Amino acid sequence: MIREGLRGRLRGLAPRQRPRFSGPSFNRLIPNLLTMMGLCAGLVAIRFALEGRFGHAAAFIVVAAVIDGLDGRIARLLKGTSRFGAEFDSLSDFLCFGVAPALVLYLWTMQSVGPWGFIPCVLFAVCSALRLARFNAASIAEPGVVEVPKPAYAYNFFTGVPAPAGAGLVLFPLFAWLAFADWGWPATAAAIRHPSVAAIMLFVVGGLMVSTLPSWSFKNFKIPANRVLPLFLGVGAYVAFLVTDPWAALALGGLIYAGMLYFSARSYRRLRREAEQMRGEVPSA
């Protein structure tokens, strides 16, 4: 009896083994949780648009774009990339940067022209879906098909304007309208709210998204050493401008990105020409 009681006490003092659970680690779930937050931000933007609170709707689309820029990089950093995460991210991008901006612009100004105002909005959403489908198809290796590897310089470029940037570009009239309204320029704000302005942006940006225009991805973008300090100063000035006058800063950011598309296409052509010359080929016109 004494021996059994002693064994029981020793058994109680022995360290307990932690139970092991099967399933993914929490690090692998963080990117998907961020994607979920971005999706919720897009849904909240739609709700605010239905309530006529277009400034809040635009702000939540911007929040969704910031989250979309973080989840993929965090997934690669934590080694949490997965096929489920990629598909989930694409579905979230379609809602946040395809459906939500089109619906916001429709409720903001396009519905004033009747059923015809819905056509550019639908076209933009369709272009967003096609752009995301093309991106997914390019990232999946089809069985039995030998893919030709892309040149090294091509990995620094997207084919067409990415969905978050397209949403920012197409919302430029709304950003500018909010800025002019804050500045007390009602006539200019009313002019930029005309449905024709939004329709042109929807058609043009939708076309850029499904085009083959090379645009910088900024993933492996290298900055010359002598331009690092001016870049820091410029980013700092833009952040200060963003805090002081967010709508004007967002509108300016759209203009800056639109201007960068020309330089990204020119950079792509230059790199392609240099690569062809290194291989001894005749550069195409």
Side-chain angles (χ1 to χ4, degrees), residues 33 129 161 192 194 222:
L33 292 175
V161 174
I192 204 167
H194 195 275
K222 294 184 179 180

Side-chain angles (χ1 to χ4, degrees), residues 125-205:
V126 170
C127 289
S128 175
L130 293 174
R131 193 255 179 268
L132 292 169
R134 182 179 63 184
F135 178 80
N136 290 348
S139 62
I140 299 176
E142 297 184 7
V145 178
V146 179
E147 296 186 0
V148 179
K150 296 193 300 183
Y153 64 86
Y155 289 96
N156 297 326
F157 297 87
F158 289 123
T159 301
V161 174
L169 288 175
V170 82
L171 289 176
F172 169 79
L174 178 57
F175 294 148
W177 173 73
L178 291 167
F180 288 132
D182 289 343
W183 294 346
W185 296 2
T188 307
I192 204 167
R193 194 176 183 177
H194 195 275
S196 61
V197 178
I200 292 173
M201 293 300 298
L202 287 165
F203 281 126
V204 172
V205 177

